[in-house]
Amino acid sequence: MTDRVLELLRSRPDLAELAAFPFNFDVSRAYHVEDVHLASGASLEAIAGDDTGGTYFLCADQAVLHASSEGDAVLIADSVGEALEMLVRLPEWCEGLTAELDEEGLRAQVRAGDDEAREEFAPELDAQRAALISGLGLPDRPLVELFALTESAAGRTEPDHVLLNSRDLCAYQLHESYRQCLRDVVLRPGREILERMRSGDLGAREEAAADPVLRAGALRAAQFDRRDGDLPFLRFLLEREDAERTESFEEQRLTAVLVASYGQDQDVPLLRSVSWGQVTDSAGAVEWARAEEAKRHERDAAAENEFTWIELAHRQGRTEHARVALIRLLDDTGPHADRLRELSRALERIGDHAQAARAQFNLLSLQDTAWDRALEAYILARLERGKGDLAAAGRALERARGAVGVDGTAPDSTVAEWHRRGLGRLITEQHLELTLAAVEAGETDLALATMTHGKVLLNTIAKQSAKALSGLSTRAKWAVAGLRGPVA
């Protein structure tokens, strides 16, 4: 559905001219300096530009995003009408506007800015403003309210309105004051359930008992907000984690640390079990808890690994929050192999194969051995295929073949037995997967070429395996073949 104000600007040249000058919202400049898209994948339409190369975009939810030509992007309003209100009544030439100003303070700042504008470039500013407000039917709301709307919109840029460069997939910058703290976002449910449990709400315990993700949030909340009376429900959390054998060992360990820190005799049997015998008495429990906390800085929320909050966001179903956090981490990551690998795997887990491939491509360039190059190239091929770039997947597999020497190159000793250690199977399977994808996409040449390479890999593995088998003893041949009778 097209915004009413936008329709007026497109159908009324007189109003469009006023919006373009002096208020710098030019619907004839509805294009951006580069291809962009939203990280969320939602639709985006360029609707106007400014005289610095910036662009106003209309999002699928009718919100308006402004992107500068210098790589910044921020949500400015929930509709084109609100955006025009802001641009007309709180124009860009008014400096020093802050949330601390009251109505009169804002009016004073606008008057000062308007005075300069009249002198420098807009002598008919008052008439132009009045005509545009009237023509567009903009409301006459208090400036404090309008400023608050704009600030609120900016604070909601993340996670659904993060703008990416479509070529490099890097995110446009957002001022730190408008960035969401992922830790606070994912801890909110845990803090709420924790407070309810502290108040004796039995229903809260039942909710936590039924929901391992909610328990994880409550645990993390208790980790950084410790109270003397928390032991009963920490004990409850530990018992639930132990009974259910949840997938998160780290959460069970952390719960055990928090329980152990109280040094109660009745907790020793369970603590002995979950600590693999490291805790044998109450004094040892306290000592063990202190040692574990010292190793991981577990009293400092700011020191917690960012992936803790990203993983919790993913488990909570906050995929866009997790995606934005991972993209911004990737943008800030240099040639750091371990961090790139962690980012690549985390992005693949949330289903963002394009960003995962970006991280993986950089990771591949850092590998020193043929084995590592082959392994990371195989993973890159999987990610490129997942994002739909079959040609790029083919190039990645070419690098994998080169690393193991199938194409005639001389690999190093790390891949001397690549065909026997699982790597050959992985690379070959990826050739078959790409062949099927290419057939389905109608890319016949790629399918045939990839299948040819896959056959070479299969033949090489078969020959090497046969050669290895010929050197085995008769007893070993029985084991390999799974036979129960004589072997010729």
Side-chain angles (χ1 to χ4, degrees):
M1 182 174 66
T2 305
D3 186 284
R4 178 190 65 85
V5 170
L6 182 58
E7 277 294 306
L8 281 172
L9 291 172
R10 287 172 170 172
S11 61
R12 292 274 304 275
D14 57 325
L15 297 179
E17 184 177 351
L18 287 171
F21 183 84
F23 301 107
N24 214 6
F25 186 91
D26 190 348
V27 293
S28 70
R29 294 183 179 181
Y31 51 84
H32 196 50
V33 293
E34 60 186 2
D35 291 336
V36 293
H37 66 275
L38 292 178
S40 67
S43 64
L44 193 70
E45 177 190 1
I47 57 172
D50 61 33
D51 58 12
T52 65
T55 307
Y56 295 94
F57 293 94
L58 184 64
C59 304
D61 58 0
Q62 301 299 296
V64 177
L65 182 77
H66 179 261
S68 76
S69 59
E70 298 178 352
D72 301 296
V74 62
L75 201 68
I76 63 169
D78 288 330
S79 68
V80 178
E82 278 187 17
L84 264 296
E85 281 185 75
M86 183 267 291
L87 292 171
V88 173
R89 301 191 61 222
L90 296 172
E92 60 185 10
W93 54 78
C94 297
E95 300 178 352
L97 304 182
T98 69
E100 285 71 35
L101 292 174
D102 58 12
E103 183 72 16
E104 185 51 42
L106 285 172
R107 289 186 181 280
Q109 291 296 104
V110 171
R111 283 195 298 270
D114 284 352
D115 287 342
E116 290 188 19
R118 291 187 197 95
E119 291 179 6
E120 295 180 8
F121 59 87
E124 299 179 358
L125 174 61
D126 295 332
Q128 291 168 319
R129 175 180 283 139
L132 190 55
I133 288 175
S134 174
L136 295 178
L138 301 180
D140 184 20
R141 72 179 89 213
L143 294 184
V144 168
E145 180 183 341
L146 181 56
F147 188 81
L149 287 174
T150 301
E151 289 289 286
S152 174
R156 287 181 279 108
T157 304
E158 295 183 346
D160 295 324
H161 302 91
V162 173
L163 193 66
L164 303 183
N165 174 302
S166 295
R167 185 190 65 181
D168 301 327
L169 299 182
C170 296
Y172 274 56
Q173 294 299 306
L174 178 66
H175 193 277
E176 193 67 32
S177 62
Y178 299 131
R179 297 269 294 271
Q180 290 196 11
C181 176
L182 184 60
R183 179 180 68 242
D184 290 341
V185 170
V186 299
L187 283 182
R188 191 175 300 121
R191 286 168 174 162
E192 291 172 356
I193 202 76
L194 179 61
E195 287 305 315
R196 288 174 56 197
M197 285 193 286
R198 282 171 172 167
S199 68
D201 184 345
L202 296 180
R205 283 201 174 201
E206 293 175 1
E207 288 180 40
D211 187 342
V213 178
L214 188 58
R215 288 203 305 273
L219 168 65
R220 292 295 179 178
Q223 177 185 359
F224 302 115
D225 178 22
R226 304 187 185 191
R227 309 280 179 86
D228 291 339
D230 284 355
L231 180 57
F233 55 80
L234 287 173
R235 184 181 290 141
F236 158 75
L237 292 176
L238 181 58
E239 290 169 350
R240 294 299 303 185
E241 293 295 322
D242 184 62
E244 295 185 9
R245 301 292 181 182
T246 58
E247 70 227 20
S248 178
F249 160 76
E250 178 59 22
E251 283 163 16
Q252 186 186 68
R253 184 204 64 80
L254 177 57
T255 315
V257 167
L258 294 177
V259 171
S261 67
Y262 287 84
Q264 297 295 305
D265 289 336
Q266 72 180 89
D267 297 317
V268 170
L270 181 54
L271 289 172
R272 181 185 294 115
S273 172
V274 299
S275 69
W276 289 282
Q278 294 182 69
V279 173
T280 56
D281 55 35
S282 58
V286 174
E287 184 178 347
W288 175 74
R290 288 175 178 169
E292 288 292 304
E293 288 183 324
K295 283 192 295 186
R296 295 173 171 83
H297 308 286
E298 286 177 342
R299 287 183 177 270
D300 183 3
E304 186 68 41
N305 191 310
E306 303 100 317
F307 288 92
T308 296
W309 314 123
I310 291 168
E311 181 60 26
L312 186 52
H314 185 207
R315 292 174 65 190
Q316 291 176 345
R318 303 178 193 271
T319 303
E320 292 311 313
H321 285 89
R323 187 197 314 277
V324 169
L326 288 166
I327 290 172
R328 293 207 185 277
L329 279 177
L330 179 54
D331 288 348
D332 293 338
T333 297
H336 189 301
D338 289 341
R339 174 53 65 91
L340 288 169
R341 183 175 294 106
E342 196 169 11
L343 286 165
S344 173
R345 307 308 183 257
L347 284 159
E348 184 178 17
R349 280 197 299 276
I350 69 169
D352 195 330
H353 293 95
Q355 292 287 353
R358 174 162 77 106
Q360 188 68 24
F361 184 87
N362 293 335
L363 173 62
L364 175 56
S365 68
L366 300 176
Q367 303 311 304
D368 295 324
T369 69
W371 178 276
D372 290 337
R373 286 193 294 274
L375 178 61
E376 302 301 352
Y378 144 74
I379 294 173
L380 177 59
R382 182 181 73 207
L383 295 172
E384 296 286 11
R385 181 172 55 81
K387 81 174 188 182
D389 192 339
L390 303 186
R395 292 192 295 272
L397 288 179
E398 182 179 0
R399 296 178 71 173
R401 294 194 302 273
V404 298
V406 176
D407 61 354
T409 59
D412 62 41
S413 60
T414 62
V415 290
E417 296 187 346
W418 62 272
H419 56 284
R420 296 179 58 190
R421 295 168 60 191
L423 184 59
R425 175 180 61 80
L426 293 174
I427 296 173
T428 304
E429 285 179 351
Q430 203 54 227
H431 277 76
L432 299 179
E433 293 281 4
L434 180 57
T435 298
L436 290 173
V439 169
E440 292 175 357
E443 297 188 24
T444 307
D445 290 345
L446 177 60
L448 290 173
T450 306
M451 177 57 79
T452 299
H453 291 304
K455 288 180 178 178
V456 171
L457 286 164
L458 284 171
N459 290 335
T460 301
I461 292 172
K463 289 178 182 178
Q464 294 293 341
S465 297
K467 181 178 179 181
L469 186 61
S470 67
L472 294 177
S473 66
T474 300
R475 190 178 186 84
K477 289 180 182 179
W478 286 349
V480 171
L483 301 177
R484 297 187 183 277
V487 177

